[in-house]
Amino acid sequence: MPETPHIYVVDDDELVLDTLNAVFSFAGFNVTTFNQAEVFLAANLPTDNCCLILDLRMPRMSGLELQRLLAERQIDLPVIIYSGNADVATTVRAMSGGAFTLVQKPISNDLLIETVREAMRKHQQQFKEKQQFAEAETRLSQLTDRERAVALLATEGMSAAEIADRLCISARTAEAHKASIFKKLNIKSVALLAQLVVMARLKH
């Protein structure tokens, strides 16, 4: 069974907390509410399969301040700003800080639920992509500088003779480097090598 998605709601308005708790609980989510940003930050909660619904204007620590601290501490989860009085400048700051979106109070329950689900879907997709990037970078880090140069040229469609000419080495040496690259990376084609190079954003 897949893990039940979890919603965190941080808002100083108890009516909002109670309402969103009821809405998301009825929709099948686990819900935890906080009336202070500091309490949420100190809770050290899991972030897998989670989403944070965050009010902007709260006493003591604002939503923007909490968002900044989450980023500083590398606490990675999708954030939806839920506010009734956000101006343009505040909206820009929230989005620049990594919020998935900002929704204005009031909003229909169905639209808010769908927004949360979309935020979680995109966040999961981005997480998988980051894992793929990191894996590609790790695999390519096994290559020597010369092998990396050969790999880049090979993915540009150059033959062993062309690579040899570009790097001032023999064609046999170029072929030997390609063989070593394929062995280290456990691949059998230039197409697969190209995928790794793209994922790792390898450059000349």
Side-chain angles (χ1 to χ4, degrees):
M1 293 286 291
E3 181 184 354
T4 302
H6 203 122
I7 303 297
Y8 303 127
V9 185
V10 180
D11 198 305
D12 63 326
D13 188 329
E14 294 293 341
L15 178 59
V16 170
L17 295 180
D18 290 344
T19 300
L20 294 187
N21 188 9
V23 167
F24 282 99
S25 294
F26 184 76
F29 293 80
N30 291 326
V31 186
T32 307
T33 62
F34 301 86
N35 61 8
Q36 296 180 34
E38 300 93 326
V39 177
F40 170 78
L41 194 63
N44 194 28
L45 298 163
T47 58
D48 290 343
N49 202 26
C50 298
C51 184
L52 170 61
I53 299 177
L54 177 62
D55 186 27
L56 282 177
R57 303 187 188 281
M58 295 179 286
R60 294 179 291 276
M61 184 186 295
S62 70
L64 286 177
E65 179 68 7
L66 173 58
Q67 189 183 12
R68 182 183 65 79
L69 290 172
L70 291 174
E72 285 184 0
R73 300 182 186 187
Q74 298 183 330
I75 299 173
D76 186 22
L77 77 167
V79 177
I80 293 174
I81 303 298
Y82 187 59
S83 177
N85 52 6
D87 55 32
V88 174
T90 302
T91 300
V92 170
R93 287 179 62 193
M95 300 303 292
S96 299
F100 173 74
T101 191
L102 184 148
V103 296
Q104 290 279 356
K105 301 175 184 176
I107 183 175
S108 74
N109 294 342
D110 288 344
L111 183 55
L112 182 57
I113 291 168
E114 181 54 37
T115 300
V116 166
R117 286 178 172 152
E118 181 64 16
M120 296 179 74
R121 280 195 296 267
K122 290 195 173 180
H123 185 265
Q124 184 62 27
Q125 179 182 352
Q126 291 170 350
F127 177 75
K128 289 179 179 177
E129 289 174 352
K130 289 177 182 177
Q131 285 185 313
Q132 291 171 344
F133 292 150
E135 180 185 351
E137 289 172 349
T138 298
R139 292 177 69 183
L140 288 170
S141 69
Q142 302 174 73
L143 305 182
T144 65
D145 289 343
R146 178 48 60 88
E147 287 171 343
R148 288 164 72 91
V150 170
L152 284 168
L153 295 175
T155 59
E156 292 177 4
M158 288 191 181
S159 66
E162 291 170 326
I163 292 172
D165 184 61
R166 176 71 67 86
L167 299 179
C168 300
I169 58 179
S170 70
R172 174 178 287 186
T173 299
E175 287 287 8
H177 283 312
K178 285 182 64 176
S180 177
I181 291 166
F182 282 16
K183 182 177 180 180
K184 285 182 178 180
L185 302 180
N186 192 27
I187 57 177
K188 296 182 179 180
S189 72
V190 172
L192 291 175
L193 175 60
Q195 289 180 13
L196 287 174
V197 167
V198 170
M199 290 298 293
R201 302 184 181 94
L202 191 63
K203 299 179 180 178
H204 288 286

